[in-house]
Amino acid sequence: MIHLAIDIGASSGRHIAAWREDGELKMKEVYRFSNLPDERDGHLVWDLDRLCREVVGGLKACKEQGIVPDSVGIDTWAVDYVLLDDQDRPILPLYCYRDSRGAEGAELAHKAVPFDRLYERTGIQFQPFNTIYQLCWDKAHGRLDNAADFLMLPEYLSFYLSGVKAHEYTNASSTGLLDAKGRTWDMEIVSALGLPERLFAARPQTPPVKLGRLKSDIGSQVGFDCDVVLPATHDTASAIAALPQKGTAYISSGTWSLLGAELAQPVTTPAAMKANFTNEGGVGTIRFLKNIMGLWLVQCLKRELNDQYSFAQLAQMAKDEANFDYQLDVNSARYLAPKSVIAEIDGECAQKGWPVSQTPGQYAHAIYQSLAHAYAAALDELESITGEKFDVLCIVGGGANNTYLNELTEQAIGRSVLTGSPEATALGNILLQEAAYV
């Protein structure tokens, strides 16, 4: 069988096909596209029509290359969602989580339900872009008045292909509206926030889930038919499903760095809340982890330098400029959607009385060194909160290829770093599609 993983991140998307030959999994990238938010009317938004076109475009590319999948599964980043009217048409715009509206939504939500109560029930860390806060903003601005349903982004894209709506557990767990222990919507919180209960009528399902076949119009466009499967639709959940070694601490390293461990049960203690750790659904586990800003900062730097350097060149330039021990606050709101990451780094260095960087390599080193320190601090917190000791930190995702950052991380944490697949998200997606046929 051929399985197709459509893995869409907050900067790019890929269609990766996989099949078994003599028991060995073979993977091939068939299609790739860029994915960045647009700025419209003072807000950051995603172009939903373009995302749908790219999903279908990649399916067409499969056919053109003689690769006809038996199934397709889509994963994306978490928290962003599509509101639907009573005709299942999207209510636009589709806001990007980096948009500033979440702060107002968080203030409204916490007036109705204090954060410590939210954390105790849902186990989800505070981030101003959490789904719960975006929905509270929507309610305050009348966007829910005509909403009959909502789907998380990968659920919507799967619905676009199959015509079948379903909520999937790993992505639903990121919303801040799921009972962490009961693993279903927390209707007490929904009611307290005044959100329409009709949006939460369908219970999230445990992956993998076979939704159905391609809609006839989609099949006609791409030239074949196949199953549409919900893998772990939250990209980090799919990545962690592909860890090369279980029982380790891990980082899913990409636009975001998600550092944590797989646990049997959620941890919603005051210590976990204070450290801003989150309890997200995994495949049969709880992914207890912390969000760290991640390689987004390097992506911003690369763009600001007009893409004249590759990521590999920036890493080497950083290594050549390793002459100062930077500890920038990489999780500061100043880095969430900076107009100029260089200006923000300069501003923080000036505030702390540090030398201001002068070269691209020095800026890159400041980012890498600061990420390594952030990883070390988060790992210490993880061990303190869980009472467990982790001798190995496993890094998967695109950041697994960054040898310099891995070296800095190993130095900062004082223990071994094990690297896994740079395509861990697509690999986990595919493994779950395979499981749907067992």
Side-chain angles (χ1 to χ4, degrees):
M1 296 185 74
I2 298 176
H3 303 288
L4 181 70
I6 303 178
D7 171 30
I8 306 176
S11 58
S12 67
R14 295 89 48 78
H15 291 54
I16 297 179
W19 60 92
R20 296 278 176 181
E21 287 185 13
D22 300 322
E24 182 180 353
L25 188 68
K26 303 290 187 179
M27 298 174 64
K28 179 183 178 181
E29 182 179 299
V30 179
Y31 188 77
R32 178 180 286 265
F33 59 94
S34 63
N35 182 45
L36 292 170
D38 299 323
E39 188 168 345
R40 295 179 190 165
D41 300 323
H43 290 281
L44 289 176
V45 301
W46 300 109
D47 187 334
L48 183 59
D49 287 342
R50 187 177 68 82
L51 283 171
C52 291
R53 288 196 303 271
E54 296 286 11
V55 165
V56 171
L59 295 178
K60 290 178 180 178
C62 287
K63 177 69 171 179
E64 292 166 359
Q65 295 179 36
I67 299 172
V68 178
D70 296 282
S71 72
V72 57
I74 301 175
D75 66 76
T76 78
W77 65 96
V79 308
D80 285 344
Y81 55 90
V82 180
L83 295 173
L84 301 173
D85 67 14
D86 58 6
Q87 301 296 312
D88 286 335
R89 296 171 301 202
I91 298 172
L92 299 176
L94 166 56
Y95 286 101
C96 171
Y97 67 92
R98 292 189 187 275
D99 184 68
S100 60
R101 71 192 186 119
E104 179 187 337
E107 184 177 347
L108 294 169
H110 294 164
K111 285 180 179 178
V113 185
F115 177 69
D116 57 355
R117 180 63 171 157
L118 288 175
Y119 190 86
E120 179 185 6
R121 296 179 70 93
T122 71
I124 296 299
Q125 68 177 335
F126 174 76
Q127 293 284 5
F129 49 70
N130 287 348
T131 308
I132 182 175
Y133 304 135
Q134 294 195 55
L135 282 169
C136 285
W137 187 92
D138 284 340
K139 175 179 177 290
H141 291 261
R143 277 173 44 89
L144 302 185
D145 295 349
N146 296 317
D149 205 348
F150 86 108
L151 292 171
M152 304 303 288
L153 179 56
E155 298 166 353
Y156 175 80
L157 295 173
S158 299
F159 165 64
Y160 179 79
L161 294 182
S162 69
V164 181
K165 292 189 294 183
H167 288 295
E168 184 274 317
Y169 165 60
T170 67
N171 221 313
S173 73
S174 74
T175 62
L177 291 161
L178 203 76
D179 181 327
K181 297 181 175 66
R183 304 190 181 188
T184 190
W185 300 119
D186 192 320
M187 298 310 294
E188 183 176 319
I189 288 177
V190 168
S191 177
L193 295 174
L195 299 176
E197 294 187 7
R198 63 183 179 274
L199 301 184
F200 305 93
R203 182 187 180 101
Q205 299 185 52
T206 301
V209 179
K210 280 187 181 180
L211 284 185
R213 307 288 284 180
L214 293 178
K215 293 187 301 183
S216 59
D217 62 319
I218 299 295
S220 296
Q221 289 182 61
V222 303
F224 62 87
D225 192 14
C226 69
D227 287 326
V228 179
V229 175
L230 291 181
T233 64
H234 184 179
D235 52 8
T236 308
S238 273
I240 301 311
L243 283 179
Q245 181 176 322
K246 295 297 184 180
T248 67
Y250 61 75
I251 299 176
S252 178
S253 179
T255 300
W256 288 89
S257 293
L258 297 312
L259 185 149
E262 292 186 283
L263 304 178
Q265 298 295 330
V267 179
T268 59
T269 61
M273 181 182 73
K274 182 178 179 181
N276 214 25
F277 271 72
T278 199
N279 295 267
E280 295 176 349
V283 181
T285 66
I286 295 294
R287 293 178 294 109
F288 185 66
L289 58 87
K290 187 165 190 171
N291 281 46
I292 299 168
M293 197 68 77
L295 296 176
W296 162 253
L297 297 172
V298 184
Q299 294 166 6
C300 289
L301 179 64
K302 183 174 182 290
R303 284 196 299 272
E304 193 166 342
L305 296 171
N306 299 314
D307 293 316
Q308 59 183 304
Y309 306 108
S310 68
F311 289 117
Q313 287 174 320
L314 282 173
Q316 183 58 54
M317 291 159 64
K319 190 172 185 176
D320 294 340
E321 297 275 11
N323 54 3
F324 187 77
D325 187 19
Y326 286 91
Q327 294 193 45
L328 302 171
D329 181 5
V330 293
N331 281 332
S332 168
R334 72 193 305 157
Y335 296 119
L336 185 61
K339 297 292 185 183
S340 165
V341 73
I342 289 175
E344 295 297 346
I345 292 173
D346 287 348
E348 183 172 355
C349 288
Q351 289 172 1
K352 294 180 175 178
W354 295 347
V356 173
S357 298
Q358 300 296 321
T359 68
Q362 289 174 355
Y363 282 107
H365 170 67
I367 292 170
Y368 289 133
Q369 182 76 67
S370 301
L371 286 174
H373 281 299
Y375 298 162
L379 183 58
D380 288 344
E381 290 175 323
L382 175 67
E383 292 182 330
S384 175
I385 293 165
T386 63
E388 297 187 31
K389 179 69 174 177
F390 298 99
D391 295 324
V392 175
L393 179 65
C394 182
I395 301 177
V396 296
N401 284 330
N402 195 312
T403 303
Y404 181 54
L405 177 56
N406 295 339
E407 290 174 358
L408 291 175
T409 299
E410 196 163 54
Q411 293 169 16
I413 67 174
R415 61 203 85 180
S416 298
V417 166
L418 170 68
T419 57
S421 172
E423 298 291 356
T425 300
L427 176 58
N429 180 324
I430 288 160
L431 293 175
L432 284 160
Q433 288 185 61
E434 286 188 328
Y437 291 87
V438 175

